[in-house]
Amino acid sequence: MAVEIDRRSIWVLLVLKGLRPAFFVLLAAGFYYLIKMPTPEGLTPEGKNAIAVFILCLILWVSNIIPLAITSLFAIALVPLVDILPKEEVYGLFGNEAVFFILGAFILAGAVMHSGLSNRIALVIMDRFGSSPARLLLSIYLLAALLSCFMSEHAVAAMLFPIVFEIAKSLGLRPGRSTYAKMLFLSLAWGCVIGGIATFLGGARVPLALGILKETTGRTIDFISYSVGVFPVVVIMLLFGYFLLTRLFSMDIDSVEKAHEVLKRRIQSMGKIGYNEYMVGIILVVTVVAWATLGARVGLATVSLAAVVALFVLRLVRWKDIEEYVNWGIILMYGGAIIMGTALERSGAAMWIAQSTIGGWMVEPWLAVAVLSLLALLFTEGISNAAVIAILLPVGIGLTGGVNIDPVLVTYAIAVPAGLAFTLPLSTPANAIAVSSTYLTIRDMAKAGVIMSITSWVVFNLVARFYWPLIGLGGLR
Amino acid sequence: MKKSYLNNPGTLKIDLMLRGIRLPREDGPLAFYGRAGEGVDIVLPGGSPVNVPCGEEFTRDSPYVLKKAGERWLISDTTGEVEVRPVKMPEFLSRTTGEGTPYSEIATVHGSYVLILPKKECVFFEKKVECSYCAGGYDERPGRTHTVDEVVEVVSAVLEEGVSEIIYLSTGFTEDDDGGIGFLTPYIEAIKKRFNCLVAVEALPPKNNHWIDRTYALGADALLYNLEIFDEELFEALCPGRARFVGRKRYIEALRYAADIFPNGTVASHLIVGLEPPGSTCMGIDFLTDMGVVPILPIYRPRPGGALRIEPLNAEVIIPIYRHLYRAVKKKGINMNWMRDISVVTTPIEGRLIAGEKTGGISGLIEKFYGTRLGLKTAWGLSTLRRKLRVKEIEED
Ligand code: SF4
């Protein structure tokens, strides 16, 4: 562990230190007040308590003053404590299919990375297809998108980053100056972000949305339907992203010969493809096929867990190797968010909030999709995309009681844009990783990201309005 | 008439260090304590401790005599006498550790602080680039490395006996990139974990500033990188090891950085008075105080049998340097309460006596308070709080 010395005035530090306890005291007082206040009309006492817990979690999730997962655990403890749901039900909800699906997906992605398969695929594709600056750029972009369809986009960004960084170095690109380097790192980040919304596997936030949808309405979306629904958004955004990159920045190099030397060296150092890589690859393919074909019948989580068992039966990974790839915090966060969402729904609080805030004027379904997707896009720039879903989705689903709109559409309208964070490094780890290269400045990212965000909102709404009815998805008047 | 320094404890301290003292023969061996068995430790009027040479040849000509008058002890010269308090040998120094090492091999008392050397070694001797004025006895073969447990045992005894609240750890001198902090880390951690005392660290400037952050985060309350000589050419000539392995530039950079990290008045550097012209020492004082570093000025005395033969300066020449020291430190607003009451050097706060200034009011009270045990405990508490607020642990990338 390294240390850093904060050199601000000691008085500033003291005040800042004092702010934290003061914040918690205020929060506790506010929570107590909400619990004790008379129940507003149209709301049950459980609903009022659920709103109090929701506001508390909302503040903690948005401020990130304690880890997201800990806020979720807090929610789990509070829901039975203030009599919103019985404790047996609360802890039962944690065993949601979405939680186990994510757990399985994390382990599978961990095995793919640990075996070196993902790295090999990345290197070989870049080496094979990246013969010119434009083609190398495109191969990084599409590769990031493709890999993010199968594993967490954060993991993909982290995996590709050292390769892209080495390529930039080998080409002698100057940090902060070279426009080609900016393109490379933006293509890495955008590829991950756009690819990450294509399937359930990218950001693992869609399973969270599904978990909330299932627990609150009993409805669900299957693996294939989801991908078919977002496919046009992914394709249009990928095309537009590439177009924008090449318009905003120029390619200030003529040859990528040096980059190939790096790629070749790396490929050589990996040696021949081994048994583990083959087997993990086969399990990955079989699992994806099973998710698509059997997912609806046997459950996505069942397929994930079967794949995990296969990995261990065939001794392709050890538990120790996998532990570091599994984001246990996210799993806890998801469990808690699902419980919170269910508590809001069952107590009638979600509907009450939706009706008394946006429900009154959001009478048209297309308007609801437009507003919810805009809110999700804006929120996701500042807070974790899982938190966006935990906050917006229960309220969005509550809205469906008053507006003639399918809760499935609301789930899309929030879960998809929640993944489309292009503007800031803090929006998503893929952006942060790209900016950390120092080849790309925050300003570069923000400038291009704003255009991408606006475009993605327009594209998403056009797809919702004109394409979804064609595939029988809801239907917006 | 011959000039007498008896009436000013500041000037008397300097003259005593320069000329030594003659001890009464008729009283037999004195139970007074001297640094590493050398000299006697005496507390002068006003509370300044001083380690006074008494065994060396030159002390025979000293005008000062220590004598007993009833229960009182006096220092006299040809013009008069002044009452002093010789320091009794602390009891802990006669003990041995569980592993059989005499405590006195590990620790020495230097007035307000206890110096602990976990390992006595200077790599410059091995490389034949030692400082030509070196009198630390580092030329002997490297001593045994004392274990953390031994050091903790000694510190515990020091604190129990109430000898001091400040533990001064020195690295010895190594050629590691960390300046020796890596070696001292387990000792600092062990002391800080067990005791509520202040820890000062003397080391070589590390190659990289993150080691300075680390030193602070570990629990060091004060830090010393001793430049010793300000003049560039003399530094290279007299400190070839420091010049080659660290370099004057790095000393300055590291001191500047440390002064920004550590509390005001806790980063110090020795400048030896008498190894360079007084004007150069004064420039060094100004330079260091500009950076917020406390200059500490030991007085050069030739080592018996040593190759370097520079005639030591006399008190007339030296005293204005200390006056300048006090004024420079005061002008730059550097806190003088940390580096004080050291028996082997005159500190800036004692320079005030030389400058003939008196402190009264609040600052006088604060100064007195920090000289007490409670004051030192308060300093420890504030220092710990400051560290808690400032140090952030970050994930290594
Ligand atoms: S650094 Fe110089 S003065 Fe210190 S022990 Fe080594 S040789 Fe002696």
Side-chain angles (χ1 to χ4, degrees):
Chain A
M1 190 71 85
V3 292
E4 197 178 73
I5 313 295
D6 194 332
R7 300 192 216 173
R8 283 174 296 178
S9 141
I10 212 80
W11 298 111
V12 171
L13 295 179
L14 268 173
V15 168
L16 291 177
K17 265 270 178 296
L19 282 181
R20 194 179 158 92
F23 172 83
F24 283 114
V25 168
L26 272 178
L27 203 62
F31 180 70
Y32 183 78
Y33 171 77
L34 288 176
I35 294 287
K36 291 286 165 202
M37 71 182 271
T39 308
E41 219 182 287
L43 196 61
T44 60
E46 293 79 30
K48 183 200 66 181
N49 290 354
I51 290 172
V53 175
F54 177 65
I55 291 174
L56 185 81
C57 292
L58 178 101
I59 294 170
L60 291 174
W61 273 326
V62 172
S63 64
N64 216 350
I65 198 160
I66 53 174
L68 298 179
I70 302 303
T71 301
S72 292
L73 289 180
F74 193 27
I76 297 172
L78 282 176
V79 167
L81 201 67
V82 294
D83 296 327
I84 305 168
L85 291 174
K87 63 180 187 306
E88 295 75 17
E89 199 175 333
V90 168
Y91 293 103
L93 284 168
F94 197 86
N96 190 285
E97 193 186 344
V99 173
F100 286 94
F101 169 72
I102 295 162
L103 176 63
F106 276 148
I107 295 178
L108 189 59
V112 172
M113 286 181 76
H114 185 75
S115 69
L117 179 65
S118 48
N119 213 11
R120 184 185 298 277
I121 293 171
L123 291 167
V124 169
I125 290 180
M126 281 190 228
D127 187 44
R128 184 117 353 134
F129 299 103
S131 55
S132 67
R135 294 184 65 154
L136 181 65
L137 179 73
L138 195 59
S139 56
I140 290 173
Y141 185 49
L142 294 181
L143 185 68
L146 182 75
L147 289 173
S148 300
C149 296
F150 301 103
M151 50 204 277
S152 154
E153 70 209 48
H154 315 163
V156 175
M159 184 189 79
L160 292 183
F161 177 77
I163 304 173
V164 178
F165 192 77
E166 219 177 308
I167 287 175
K169 263 194 2 201
S170 70
L171 293 174
L173 307 178
R174 289 169 62 198
R177 292 280 178 83
S178 164
T179 47
Y180 186 64
K182 291 178 199 279
M183 292 164 98
L184 286 181
F185 285 99
L186 273 180
S187 70
L188 168 68
W190 290 0
C192 290
V193 168
I194 300 169
I197 63 161
T199 68
F200 282 3
L201 306 170
R205 62 195 154 259
V206 185
L208 168 65
L210 284 187
I212 295 175
L213 177 71
K214 180 95 182 274
E215 292 302 336
T216 52
T217 66
R219 304 276 303 276
T220 190
I221 306 169
D222 69 66
F223 194 86
I224 293 280
S225 306
Y226 171 80
S227 293
V228 170
V230 292
F231 181 71
V233 182
V234 174
V235 173
I236 297 170
M237 285 314 296
L238 278 174
L239 289 173
F240 180 77
Y242 188 75
F243 168 80
L244 187 65
L245 272 180
T246 49
R247 285 298 157 277
L248 286 181
F249 305 100
S250 61
M251 300 208 192
D252 54 1
I253 56 162
D254 305 319
S255 154
V256 287
E257 212 31 61
K258 289 252 164 51
H260 281 280
E261 286 168 23
V262 169
L263 294 170
K264 289 234 153 51
R265 229 181 13 249
R266 277 188 168 239
I267 292 170
Q268 270 165 11
S269 73
M270 290 195 79
K272 285 187 297 187
I273 184 161
Y275 165 80
N276 273 20
E277 281 177 75
Y278 272 125
M279 291 311 292
V280 168
I282 290 169
I283 291 179
L284 176 67
V285 172
V286 171
T287 310
V288 172
V289 172
W291 272 327
T293 54
L294 302 173
R297 193 144 50 91
V298 299
L300 293 169
T302 314
V303 175
S304 302
L305 297 181
V308 169
V309 172
L311 287 172
F312 283 87
V313 167
L314 295 171
R315 306 180 83 164
L316 299 174
V317 279
R318 290 171 307 171
W319 184 245
K320 193 161 71 68
D321 306 326
I322 285 304
E323 258 182 330
E324 66 185 91
Y325 292 102
V326 177
N327 190 338
W328 297 103
I330 283 290
I331 290 171
L332 292 176
M333 147 95 202
Y334 282 16
I338 290 168
I339 291 167
M340 184 72 257
T342 311
L344 283 172
E345 179 62 29
R346 300 230 180 123
S347 63
M351 188 142 99
W352 187 84
I353 298 174
Q355 294 305 335
S356 47
T357 52
I358 45 181
W361 52 273
M362 215 191 288
V363 285
E364 293 291 334
W366 66 265
L367 188 59
V369 169
V371 171
L372 289 174
S373 58
L374 181 65
L375 285 176
L377 263 177
L378 291 176
F379 276 30
T380 200
E381 292 296 348
I383 54 176
S384 138
N385 42 40
V388 175
I389 290 171
I391 293 164
L392 280 185
L393 193 56
V395 180
I397 290 176
L399 193 68
T400 59
V403 182
N404 183 20
I405 181 172
D406 187 346
V408 169
L409 292 191
V410 169
T411 306
Y412 274 96
I414 291 167
V416 178
L420 293 169
F422 295 102
T423 315
L424 299 170
L426 68 99
S427 313
T428 174
N431 291 356
I433 288 170
V435 169
S436 75
S437 67
T438 70
Y439 282 93
L440 183 69
T441 62
I442 296 179
R443 206 159 157 250
D444 296 325
M445 174 167 275
K447 206 170 78 179
V450 167
I451 304 174
M452 284 295 278
S453 291
I454 295 171
T455 311
S456 64
W457 181 72
V458 173
V459 169
F460 178 79
N461 279 281
L462 289 176
V463 166
R465 194 156 170 77
F466 298 109
Y467 168 72
W468 287 356
L470 299 180
I471 58 167
L473 192 57
L476 299 175
R477 276 179 297 160
Chain B
M1 198 177 111
K2 191 139 180 20
K3 185 160 189 169
S4 171
Y5 294 112
L6 277 185
N7 295 329
N8 184 326
T11 52
L12 178 61
K13 178 167 177 173
I14 291 172
D15 209 35
L16 280 168
M17 285 194 284
L18 279 169
R19 302 165 85 166
I21 199 164
R22 286 174 285 136
L23 301 180
R25 287 221 190 105
E26 64 277 14
D27 284 355
L30 288 168
F32 303 147
Y33 175 65
R35 175 172 67 111
E38 293 165 12
V40 281
D41 279 4
I42 294 169
V43 178
L44 301 178
S48 283
V50 56
N51 175 261
V52 193
C54 58
E56 292 87 340
E57 195 60 34
F58 66 88
T59 59
R60 290 201 190 154
D61 303 327
S62 171
Y64 301 108
V65 183
L66 182 68
K67 60 183 186 188
K68 201 168 184 186
E71 283 308 299
R72 299 185 314 144
W73 284 90
L74 305 167
I75 286 179
S76 67
D77 66 3
T78 49
T79 62
E81 55 190 27
V82 63
E83 187 173 347
V84 294
R85 181 168 57 82
V87 180
K88 281 260 163 38
M89 163 93 99
E91 194 275 324
F92 84 95
L93 280 171
S94 53
R95 291 198 231 158
T96 51
T97 66
E99 295 173 38
T101 312
Y103 280 18
S104 57
E105 209 174 90
I106 302 174
T108 44
V109 183
H110 284 206
S112 65
Y113 70 83
V114 171
L115 168 66
I116 291 198
L117 276 174
K119 184 180 189 181
K120 193 170 181 183
E121 180 183 16
C122 177
V123 76
F124 299 151
F125 277 98
E126 202 181 294
K127 306 215 173 268
K128 310 252 176 295
V129 284
E130 70 275 11
C131 310
S132 40
Y133 52 83
C134 182
Y138 283 76
D139 44 350
E140 299 147 14
R141 86 193 149 77
R144 188 171 76 79
T145 302
H146 304 297
T147 63
V148 173
D149 287 344
E150 280 181 307
V151 167
V152 165
E153 192 183 329
V154 173
V155 172
S156 168
V158 168
L159 298 175
E160 239 169 60
E161 199 179 333
V163 177
S164 169
E165 293 289 328
I166 306 173
I167 302 299
Y168 183 112
L169 286 166
S170 177
T171 54
F173 299 96
T174 66
E175 55 182 334
D176 303 335
D177 285 0
D178 58 28
I181 288 302
F183 168 73
L184 279 187
T185 296
Y187 297 94
I188 303 174
E189 282 177 341
I191 294 171
K192 279 287 172 177
K193 192 171 154 194
R194 291 171 177 79
F195 311 109
N196 297 343
C197 64
L198 294 160
V199 170
V201 169
E202 181 192 344
L204 286 176
K207 295 265 184 299
N208 190 304
N209 286 344
H210 77 76
W211 280 108
I212 302 176
D213 293 345
R214 202 67 183 264
T215 309
Y216 181 64
L218 272 174
D221 300 289
L223 180 65
L224 287 94
Y225 296 138
N226 294 331
L227 182 61
E228 313 278 32
I229 296 167
F230 185 67
D231 181 88
E232 205 165 342
E233 279 173 27
L234 282 169
F235 175 72
E236 279 173 24
L238 299 180
C239 310
R242 290 171 199 263
R244 188 172 340 147
F245 290 103
V246 183
R248 184 176 181 272
K249 192 166 156 251
R250 181 59 195 146
Y251 262 99
I252 291 167
E253 276 170 9
L255 282 166
R256 195 188 300 278
Y257 185 82
D260 203 24
I261 297 293
F262 280 72
N264 177 7
T266 61
V267 176
S269 183
H270 284 182
L271 290 177
I272 302 175
V273 177
L275 281 179
E276 58 186 326
S280 176
T281 305
C282 288
M283 277 166 63
I285 291 171
D286 293 342
F287 189 86
L288 292 176
T289 50
D290 267 348
M291 298 193 294
V293 173
V294 184
I296 292 189
L297 312 184
I299 294 174
Y300 165 68
R301 283 226 60 97
R303 183 164 52 111
L308 189 69
R309 302 263 9 127
I310 297 178
E311 209 37 51
L313 301 175
N314 61 36
E316 308 266 291
V317 180
I318 288 178
I319 284 168
I321 302 178
Y322 284 94
R323 200 173 290 132
H324 181 79
L325 169 71
Y326 167 68
R327 290 189 177 139
V329 171
K330 189 180 169 197
K331 190 170 152 206
K332 293 286 151 41
I334 299 173
N335 187 345
M336 299 187 218
N337 286 311
W338 280 93
M339 303 287 170
R340 60 185 276 181
D341 304 333
I342 307 174
S343 61
V344 287
V345 291
T346 300
T347 56
I349 214 166
E350 290 158 337
R352 192 189 40 244
L353 299 169
I354 297 168
E357 279 186 31
K358 288 204 163 53
T359 33
I362 301 273
S363 51
L365 279 177
I366 291 175
E367 194 180 295
K368 276 214 177 75
F369 176 66
Y370 278 114
T372 63
R373 203 156 173 210
L374 180 64
L376 286 165
K377 284 280 178 226
T378 309
W380 168 83
L382 291 175
S383 181
T384 308
L385 173 68
R386 184 187 187 276
R387 182 174 298 106
K388 194 118 194 92
L389 291 171
R390 286 212 189 281
V391 175
K392 280 197 235 159
E393 288 197 340
I394 47 171
E395 293 282 342
E396 253 160 322
D397 195 1

